[in-house]
């Protein structure tokens, strides 16, 4: 029944996403001038994604083959193996390949609708702010629903298939860990490649267009402006879609592993669950399915008055989703985690889920405080811009460092609170499962959060289409309101993503320890006093810094080519700036595409290769599993702090510029504005390339160690 409910809700959500896509497509697609711009964005985005996925496929297929060889031929069989060596190799490599394919589909579907919703949002905004808001959100919801439903369908479908071929249910999560690794592998390259693309185009367009030529944002005379609008889709839609897909997939499997261990341990202590061992294992999938239904209702209630605040409308939808998800969590806990021998256990776990939901909301508000220009941090940066770019960067970097404190406190409270609720549930060794339930709670609203995230690039593109097709000023004011809200939602969802990554990383680390125990090599603690273990941890921290450096440098290198191309076009064809000649948008799109795809390979291979190298090298010293555990722990801590710093610091620089553009300190074109543009340019690769990519790195470290744990023993 539990599996049937999960698969049924997943199919319903996919069908509802198709309904929303059709609803969006029925709306008016604007004037011929608007369609010309939208078509250029669509063609550029589809061309980039096609080339990117070819590159990812060229990397994915060899990795799947290597996994099969490692499990099937190199790793010796163990008495603790749940199936034969050949079957283990097929299940791990096959689930990896399936996870990669599903992650790619989820990312593509998000972008497919966003590049068609943008012009319809722009067209609707000419007559109704509410209609524009609903088209942008429902277009984004197609991505959110597809991502979460595909994740559930993949994990639930694999479970059903393996159960049907006779594999014992409690062993199945250990055999499909490759699914999470495949999703993480594709997500890393999708997020990284898209992030490099979008920021290289943005930096090039801003520095030459705004600062050197003095023309407005989204001005049709700027050759890089189409590439910039394309970048919003490939980075924030396809990239973030793949990111949250792997989040939900990996966390589902990790929580199932912990649930299996909990149920088996409880049974050994004469404690039984009303739903049985299978019910406890299926709990993460069931509550995720109920969260999907809550998100659908939250999405459909969003509307606003013509003079209303679109952000308040989106917040109302979020609150409705959160309340319904909390109720669904309680139902799931009572149904699947009830035990006669521990009568209050389900209630304790429900509180763990509520802690997760509260943590998600706390991260949203913390991010809002550090990135919105209504609050002190951004106002400080804007004020510092009066004395030039240097003080803008100093002030922004101070804010970036400061903003790591509150999230760490929130994560700490969430982990300790949920752990002790699990410990006091009356079930043996249930603390880690309590933290898993909190993670499930935080991800309960993932579909709605991703809808808000994809709303951002749709609204941004709509504003660009209105500007470039030279629509009246009052229409641009409407799309500006949606664009401003979109910038906020993109920042908020980055905060949510790093918070969920932090809780998920602890969940997956616990699952790693459980997997070692399942394979007959329990690791009770990680002793950092051992030189090999200390070095493993040090390498984990180093990986985070080196990856960030490579990602940021990649944006600089790709932007260099864009800047030179825009300058060349302005110099060789003076008619472009006079408005008598059209720039070559396609040339800029091609340059950014080639640059982004070339630059994403090295940091991606480094991230995948480092934990494998550490595990295999230290295995020769009989300490491989513990050294990898240290690398995972310290790398996760460093990654959480670095990603928070980069996300919020970049967002603060961006909104300091926007605050000045409202008229503060001289407004657009003033010296403080030019200084703020420089600060925003520094922050761009922070918040849209390195920061979001680190979310994936944190989880990829966890999933790759889960998949390869038997090789490190």
């Amino acid at each position: 029944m539990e599996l049937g409910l999960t698969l049924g809700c997943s199919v319903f959500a996919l069908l509802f996403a198709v309904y929303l896509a059709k609803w969006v497509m029925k709306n008016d697609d604007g004037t011929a001038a608007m369609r010309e711009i939208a078509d250029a964005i669509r063609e550029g985005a589809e061309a980039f994604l096609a080339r990117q996925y070819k590159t990812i496929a060229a990397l994915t297929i060899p990795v799947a083959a290597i996994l099969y060889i490692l499990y099937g031929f190199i790793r010796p069989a163990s008495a603790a193996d749940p199936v034969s060596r050949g079957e283990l190799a097929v299940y791990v490599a096959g689930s990896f390949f399936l996870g990669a394919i599903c992650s790619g589909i989820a990312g593509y579907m998000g972008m497919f609708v966003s590049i068609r919703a943008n012009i319809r949002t722009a067209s609707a905004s000419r007559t109704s702010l509410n209609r524009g808001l609903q088209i942008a959100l429902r277009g984004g919801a197609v991505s959110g629903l597809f991502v979460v439903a595909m994740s559930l369908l993949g994990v639930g479908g694999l479970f059903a298939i393996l159960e049907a071929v006779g594999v014992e249910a409690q062993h199945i999560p250990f055999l499909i860990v490759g699914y999470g690794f495949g999703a993480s592998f594709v997500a890393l390259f999708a997020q990284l490649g898209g992030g490099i693309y979008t920021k290289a185009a943005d930096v090039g367009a801003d520095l030459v267009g705004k600062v050197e030529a003095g023309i407005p944002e989204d001005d049709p005379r700027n050759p890089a402006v189409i590439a910039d609008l394309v970048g919003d889709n490939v980075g924030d839609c396809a990239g973030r879609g793949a990111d949250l897909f792997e989040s939900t997939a990996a966390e589902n499997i990790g929580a199932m592993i912990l649930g299996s261990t909990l149920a088996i341990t409880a049974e050994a202590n004469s404690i039984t669950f009303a739903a049985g061992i299978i019910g406890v294992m299926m709990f993460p999938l069931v509550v995720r399915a109920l969260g999907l239904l809550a998100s659908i209702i939250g999405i459909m209630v969003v509307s606003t008055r013509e003079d209303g605040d679109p952000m308040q409308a989106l917040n109302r939808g979020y609150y409705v989703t959160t309340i319904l998800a909390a109720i669904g969590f309680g139902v799931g806990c009572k149904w699947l985690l009830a035990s006669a021998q521990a009568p209050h256990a389900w209630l304790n776990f429900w509180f763990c889920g509520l802690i997760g939901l509260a943590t998600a909301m706390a991260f949203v508000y913390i991010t809002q405080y550090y990135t919105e220009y209504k609050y002190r941090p951004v106002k400080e940066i804007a004020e510092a811009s009066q004395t030039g770019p240097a003080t803008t960067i100093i002030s922004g970097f101070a804010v970036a460092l400061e903003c790591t404190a509150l999230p760490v406190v929130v994560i700490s409270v969430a982990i300790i609170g949920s752990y002790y609720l699990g410990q006091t549930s009356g079930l043996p060794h249930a603390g880690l499962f309590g933290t898993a339930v909190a993670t499930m709670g935080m991800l309960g609203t993932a579909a709605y959060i991703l809808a808000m995230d994809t709303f951002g690039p749709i609204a941004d593109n709509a504003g660009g289409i209105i500007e470039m097709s030279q629509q009246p000023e009052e229409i641009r004011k409407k799309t500006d309101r949606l664009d401003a809200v979109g910038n906020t939602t993109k920042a908020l969802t980055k905060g949510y993503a790093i918070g969920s990554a932090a809780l998920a990383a602890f969940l997956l680390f616990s699952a790693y320890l459980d997997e070692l125990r399942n394979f007959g090599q329990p690791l009770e603690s990680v002793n950092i006093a051992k030189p090999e273990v200390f070095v493993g941890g040090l390498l984990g921290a180093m990986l985070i810094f080196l990856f960030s450096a490579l990602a940021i440098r990649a944006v600089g290198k790709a932007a260099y080519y864009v800047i030179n191309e825009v300058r060349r076009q302005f110099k060789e064809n003076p008619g472009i700036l006079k408005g008598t000649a059209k720039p070559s948008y396609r040339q800029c799109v091609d340059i950014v595409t080639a640059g982004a795809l070339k630059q994403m390979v090295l940091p991606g291979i480094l991230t995948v290769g480092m934990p494998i190298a550490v595990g295999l090298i230290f295995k020769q010293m009989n300490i491989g599993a513990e050294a990898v555990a240290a690398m995972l722990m310290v790398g996760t801590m460093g990654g959480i702090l670095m990603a928070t710093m980069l996300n919020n610091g970049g967002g603060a620089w961006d909104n300091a510029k926007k605050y000045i553009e409202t008229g503060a300190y001289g407004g657009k074109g003033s010296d403080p504005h030019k200084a703020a543009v420089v600060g925003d340019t520094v922050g761009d690769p922070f918040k849209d390339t390195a920061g979001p990519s680190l979310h994936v790195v944190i989880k990829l470290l966890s999933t790759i160690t889960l998949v390869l744990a038997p090789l490190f023993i």
Side-chain angles (χ1 to χ4, degrees):
M1 182 180 174
E2 297 89 350
L3 186 58
L5 174 67
T6 299
L7 297 178
C9 288
S10 302
V11 171
F12 173 74
L14 289 175
L15 293 174
F16 195 81
V18 171
Y19 159 75
L20 288 180
K22 288 182 176 178
W23 182 88
V24 168
M25 298 298 286
K26 284 180 183 176
N27 286 275
D28 179 68
D29 62 352
T31 65
M34 293 167 69
R35 285 194 294 273
E36 182 182 355
I37 297 156
D39 287 346
I41 296 169
R42 177 176 53 79
E43 288 169 11
E46 288 178 341
F48 173 81
L49 211 63
R51 288 170 65 175
Q52 184 188 47
Y53 277 10
K54 284 179 185 175
T55 305
I56 293 173
L59 296 167
T60 302
I61 294 170
V63 172
I66 291 168
L67 279 176
Y68 180 79
I69 292 167
L70 286 173
Y71 271 89
F73 300 98
I74 295 177
R75 176 184 173 267
S78 166
D81 288 353
V83 292
S84 71
R85 189 165 71 167
E87 287 178 301
L88 190 60
V90 169
Y91 293 148
V92 172
S95 62
F96 169 84
F97 196 66
L98 183 62
I101 291 172
C102 290
S103 181
I105 292 171
Y108 178 80
M109 282 306 301
M111 196 205 69
F112 179 86
V113 177
S114 74
I115 55 179
R116 289 163 174 81
N118 53 13
I119 188 169
R120 289 163 175 82
T121 300
S123 179
S125 298
R126 293 181 298 165
T127 55
S128 169
L129 177 71
N130 181 53
R131 191 70 169 180
L133 169 72
Q134 289 184 331
I135 292 172
L137 180 66
R138 293 180 184 183
V142 174
S143 175
L145 295 175
F146 240 92
V147 163
V148 180
M150 285 281 291
S151 166
L152 275 175
L153 206 57
V155 176
L158 278 173
F159 189 95
I161 291 168
L162 294 189
E163 193 173 32
V165 299
V167 179
E168 288 187 49
Q170 61 263 38
H171 294 315
I172 293 176
F174 299 100
L175 302 179
I176 61 173
V177 289
Y179 187 83
F181 178 29
S184 299
F185 187 82
V186 170
L188 176 64
F189 288 103
Q191 180 67 73
L192 183 59
I196 293 170
Y197 183 108
T198 183
K199 288 304 107 182
D202 194 4
V203 168
D206 276 1
L207 286 182
V208 185
K210 286 185 183 178
V211 177
E212 293 183 11
I215 57 178
E217 187 171 6
D218 296 332
D219 193 296
R221 293 171 291 176
N222 192 330
V225 74
I226 291 292
D228 186 12
L229 294 171
V230 168
D232 291 330
N233 294 287
V234 299
D236 287 324
C237 297
R240 194 85 73 256
D243 175 5
L244 282 180
F245 176 87
E246 66 96 13
S247 285
T248 54
E251 275 80 272
N252 285 340
I253 294 169
M256 288 174 76
I257 289 173
L258 293 177
S260 170
T261 303
L262 173 73
I264 292 169
T265 304
E267 198 171 75
N269 285 271
S270 302
I271 297 174
T272 57
F273 292 92
I277 293 176
I278 304 297
V280 179
M281 286 177 60
M282 296 304 298
F283 171 77
L285 303 188
V286 169
V287 293
R288 184 63 47 78
L290 296 176
L292 258 179
L293 300 181
S295 295
I296 288 172
I297 296 170
I299 288 159
M300 297 308 293
V301 303
V302 171
S303 65
T304 186
R305 300 188 310 273
E306 291 305 303
D307 60 345
D309 182 358
M311 192 68 226
Q312 288 183 0
L314 292 177
N315 282 338
R316 277 196 301 274
Y318 177 54
Y319 297 146
V320 168
T321 302
T322 301
I323 291 168
L324 292 176
I327 294 170
F329 229 90
V331 171
C333 289
K334 178 65 174 173
W335 174 24
L336 300 174
L337 301 180
S339 170
Q341 292 84 6
H344 301 296
W346 74 270
L347 198 57
N348 280 38
F349 290 127
W350 186 24
F351 285 137
C352 290
L354 296 179
I355 285 176
L357 287 165
T359 301
M361 199 167 285
F363 264 85
V364 166
Y365 282 119
I366 291 168
T367 307
Q368 202 168 357
Y369 174 72
Y370 279 105
T371 57
E372 275 199 17
Y373 57 64
K374 292 188 289 188
Y375 303 107
R376 173 193 62 82
V378 172
K379 285 185 175 179
E380 277 185 1
I381 299 170
E383 185 180 5
S385 299
Q386 295 177 95
T387 49
T391 47
T392 304
I393 291 168
I394 291 169
S395 178
F397 197 66
V399 167
L401 293 171
E402 176 195 324
C403 75
T404 59
L406 283 177
V408 168
V409 172
V410 170
I411 292 168
S412 302
V413 170
I415 290 175
I416 292 173
S418 58
Y419 182 86
Y420 280 104
L421 278 170
Q423 284 285 78
T424 56
S425 65
L427 299 173
H429 310 296
L432 292 178
F433 187 71
T435 64
V437 175
T439 307
M440 291 294 106
M442 188 164 189
L443 288 166
T445 56
Y448 187 88
I449 291 286
L450 187 54
M452 285 209 303
D453 184 66
T454 311
F455 169 92
I458 292 173
D460 192 325
N461 272 206
I465 291 167
I466 292 294
E467 176 81 23
M468 294 184 70
S469 60
Q470 299 176 334
Q471 299 295 314
E473 181 66 24
E474 61 268 19
I475 298 174
R476 178 70 214 210
K477 285 181 180 176
K478 285 184 183 178
T479 55
D480 277 347
R481 288 171 68 188
L482 294 177
D483 188 15
V485 169
N487 285 327
T488 300
T489 60
K490 285 191 289 185
L492 299 184
T493 50
K494 288 189 184 84
Y496 171 85
I498 191 58
S500 66
L503 281 183
F506 188 76
L507 180 161
L508 292 171
F509 176 72
S510 304
Y512 171 73
L513 298 180
D514 265 9
E515 188 174 17
L516 293 177
R517 192 175 297 112
N518 185 67
F519 280 99
Q521 293 289 332
L523 181 64
E524 299 302 331
S525 63
V526 180
N527 186 355
I528 203 75
K530 296 178 183 176
E532 300 89 346
V533 178
F534 180 84
V535 169
L538 198 58
L539 289 171
M542 177 272 285
L543 172 63
I544 298 301
F545 282 83
L546 183 56
F547 175 88
S548 301
L550 291 173
I552 292 168
R553 183 181 297 154
V555 173
K557 286 181 177 178
Y560 173 82
Y561 298 118
V562 180
I563 290 167
N564 284 337
E565 172 60 21
V566 175
R567 285 174 176 167
R568 182 192 68 77
Q569 291 195 34
F570 283 164
K571 183 179 180 182
E572 293 180 5
N573 191 350
I576 293 174
L577 283 174
K578 294 176 184 175
T580 58
K582 276 194 169 184
S584 173
Y585 300 126
R586 183 178 293 275
Q587 186 71 15
C588 274
V589 169
D590 288 344
I591 285 173
V592 186
T593 298
L597 295 180
K598 180 182 176 183
Q599 297 296 331
M600 77 176 187
V601 175
L602 178 59
I605 291 176
L606 172 75
T607 306
V608 174
M610 181 75 84
I612 297 174
V614 169
L616 295 180
I617 290 170
F618 285 107
K619 180 183 178 180
Q620 309 307 315
M621 307 173 194
N622 297 317
I623 200 168
E626 193 171 354
V628 168
M631 181 185 186
L632 178 57
M633 290 171 66
V634 178
T636 297
M637 293 172 190
I640 291 166
L641 293 171
M642 179 71 85
T644 304
M645 183 193 83
L646 295 173
N647 286 339
N648 290 349
W653 267 313
D654 185 5
N655 280 328
K657 176 199 70 177
K658 287 183 170 62
Y659 178 59
I660 292 173
E661 288 175 349
T662 64
Y665 305 118
K668 288 184 180 180
S670 64
D671 286 339
H673 181 241
K674 289 178 181 177
V677 169
V678 174
D680 177 35
T681 305
V682 173
D684 273 341
F686 281 29
K687 68 182 173 66
D688 287 322
T689 306
S693 297
L694 280 174
H695 307 164
V696 189
V697 170
I698 292 167
K699 289 170 284 191
L700 180 61
L701 286 174
S702 299
T703 55
I704 197 170
T705 50
L706 264 180
V707 171
L708 298 179
L711 298 172
F712 303 148
I713 296 171

